[in-house]
Amino acid sequence: MKILVTGGAGFIGSNLALKLESLGHEVIVVDDFRGSKKENLKGFAGNVVYGDVAHFDFSALGKVDVIFHQAAITDTLIEDEKEMMDANVGGFRNVIFFAESCNAKLIYASSAGVYGNNAAPNKESDELNPLNAYARSKAEMDKIARNYDGSIPLIVGLRYFNVYGPGESYKRHASSMAYQLAQQMKAGKRPRIFKFGEQKRDFIYVKDVVEANLSAMEAKKSCIVNIGTGKPESFNAMVKNLNEVLGKNLEPDYFDNPYGFYQNLTCAEVSRAKEKIGFAAKYSLAAGIKDYFRENGIS
Ligand SMILES: NC(=O)c1ccc[n+]([C@@H]2O[C@H](COP(=O)([O-])OP(=O)(O)OC[C@H]3O[C@@H](n4cnc5c(N)ncnc54)[C@H](O)[C@@H]3O)[C@@H](O)[C@H]2O)c1
C-alpha cells in the first residue's frame, strides 16, 4: 500500500514509518522538522518531504491508501493557543481534506492529555478535561473526528498515554521520564524524582504504539480509543528497572514536588482498544526498558 506518515521524522512517526517500510509498504513522510531531526529516519528509503501539515498541498504526493497523522506540536509548555490550534487542528483539517480526496483511511494521534486530572482509570466516554493548549488541541481534534460525517472509510483516534522508546532523544524536556532518568543515571548521578516515587503512570513502549497503529488500520469502524497498558507503574519501579538494565545501583534522589496539584496516577481503560481495534499492549515496563536500552547499545 502507499502510506503517508505525517510527523514521520518525530519520535513515534519515525518508528512507525520504519516499521511500515519493513512490512513492504511504500511510505512517504511529511514533516517540517520543527521538533525533530532527520537522523531518526536513518535507513529509511522512502520519500521524506518537507512541509507544514497545516498548509501543505498534499495533492502533490498523488493518491495514498492510508494516512497516519502524527505531526503535532507536542510541547505541553507552549501556551500560545493560536500557534497550537493553527498547527495541530489546522493541520488535522488539512489532512482530513486530503484523505477525502484519496478516499484514504485516516489514523491520527490523540493524547491522554485530553483527560486532564480526571480520576483514573480514564475511559473514552469520560468527559474531557484538557488543561493546557496542547491538550485542548487534541480534544478539538477528537471532537472533529467524532462529528465527522464525511466520506472517508475510516477515521481512528489513538489516545496515547506515556510513550517511551528509541527516537526521542532530541525531545529534551519533552522526552519521556525513562529517557531523562537514564541520562542522569548514565552520568553516575542519582535519579531525581518527586517524593517518594510512588506516583504512577501508564507507561507504554513505542513498539506497542506502532502495533496499535497497525491494528487501527484494520478496524471495522471509526472510533477513538486509549492506547496504554492499563497497568500503571511507579516512578520507583522505573528507577529499579533502569538500574537493572544500566548495571547501576543508584538510589532515587527524592525532592519536593513543586506543583500545587499533581496527578498521582494515570491509567488507561484498555477494553475498548481491544474491542474496537484488537489491540493490547505486549510490553511490560520491565520488558520495554530492557528492549529500549539494549537496542541503543547502552546495557
Ligand atoms: N510521546 C508521547 O508520549 C505522546 C503521548 C500522547 C500523544 N502523542 C502524540 O503522538 C504524536 C507523535 O508524538 P511524538 O512524541 O513522536 O512527538 P515528536 O515531537 O517527536 O513528533 C512530532 C513530529 O511532528 C512534526 N511536526 C510538528 N508540527 C508539524 C507541522 N505543523 N507540520 C509538519 N510536521 C510537524 C515535528 O517536526 C516532529 O517530527 C503527536 O501527535 C503527539 O501529540 C505523543
Side-chain angles (χ1 to χ4, degrees):
M1 280 192 292
K2 186 169 166 186
I3 297 180
L4 166 65
V5 181
T6 71
F11 164 38
I12 297 169
S14 59
N15 279 280
L16 180 59
L18 288 162
K19 176 70 180 188
L20 289 165
E21 192 167 72
S22 77
L23 294 173
H25 298 293
E26 180 191 347
V27 184
I28 303 172
V29 161
V30 172
D31 200 301
D32 69 1
F33 300 99
R34 74 178 73 190
S36 57
K37 297 230 162 63
K38 217 177 163 182
E39 283 79 353
N40 266 352
L41 285 169
K42 207 166 152 224
F44 179 71
N47 271 342
V48 180
V49 181
Y50 177 88
D52 173 351
V53 291
H55 306 287
F56 186 67
D57 177 7
F58 286 103
S59 67
L61 305 176
K63 211 168 163 339
V64 301
D65 302 296
V66 185
I67 301 169
F68 291 98
H69 178 50
Q70 304 296 314
I73 296 177
T74 57
D75 187 341
T76 55
L77 300 180
I78 291 180
E79 290 173 0
D80 187 332
E81 207 85 23
K82 182 177 182 314
E83 180 189 1
M84 192 67 82
M85 291 293 167
D86 281 353
N88 292 4
V89 182
F92 189 47
R93 287 187 198 280
N94 195 26
V95 166
I96 292 178
F97 184 62
F98 178 52
E100 285 174 341
S101 74
C102 305
N103 198 33
K105 293 181 179 180
L106 172 58
I107 319 300
Y108 72 93
S110 179
S111 168
V114 298
Y115 297 118
N117 54 19
N118 288 356
N122 297 126
K123 280 199 188 77
E124 293 85 344
S125 54
D126 289 351
E127 200 170 316
L128 303 188
N129 187 19
L131 298 174
N132 53 47
Y134 165 77
R136 282 189 284 277
S137 74
K138 293 289 172 181
E140 189 59 30
M141 289 166 65
D142 284 356
K143 197 160 100 191
I144 292 168
R146 246 191 229 300
N147 296 332
Y148 181 73
D149 60 358
S151 56
I152 60 174
L154 192 69
I155 179 161
V156 178
L158 303 177
R159 287 181 181 160
Y160 306 153
F161 276 63
N162 292 70
V163 191
Y164 63 97
E168 58 169 319
S169 58
Y170 63 85
K171 288 185 71 168
R172 295 186 295 274
H173 71 266
S175 62
S176 72
M177 170 178 261
Y179 178 79
Q180 294 191 35
L181 292 179
Q183 294 308 104
Q184 296 167 20
M185 294 166 77
K186 282 191 285 166
K189 294 182 191 147
R190 289 171 60 196
R192 281 174 59 74
I193 54 179
F194 295 153
K195 283 179 183 171
F196 284 101
E198 284 310 316
Q199 305 88 339
K200 289 183 174 176
R201 291 285 174 272
D202 193 327
F203 298 111
I204 180 160
Y205 191 43
V206 71
K207 286 189 180 175
D208 272 328
V209 171
V210 167
E211 284 306 316
N213 276 274
L214 299 180
S215 304
M217 190 166 56
E218 307 302 334
K220 298 218 165 33
K221 274 174 75 177
S222 297
C223 56
I224 295 175
V225 296
N226 289 336
I227 301 300
T229 62
K231 295 181 184 120
E233 295 266 14
S234 69
F235 297 178
N236 285 330
M238 175 65 81
V239 169
K240 177 174 169 290
N241 281 294
L242 286 168
N243 266 320
E244 277 170 23
V245 81
L246 298 175
K248 306 273 185 190
N249 192 16
L250 294 160
E251 288 294 322
D253 176 10
Y254 295 118
F255 67 105
D256 286 318
N257 184 338
Y259 300 110
F261 175 84
Y262 191 70
Q263 260 175 306
N264 286 320
L265 171 67
T266 66
C267 177
E269 221 298 316
V270 292
S271 56
R272 194 175 157 93
K274 181 87 194 146
E275 181 199 330
K276 301 284 180 190
I277 67 166
F279 169 77
K282 292 201 176 68
Y283 285 86
S284 63
L285 180 65
I289 291 293
K290 222 176 250 174
D291 192 77
Y292 183 4
F293 292 100
R294 263 206 203 119
E295 196 159 278
N296 280 285
I298 292 168
S299 62

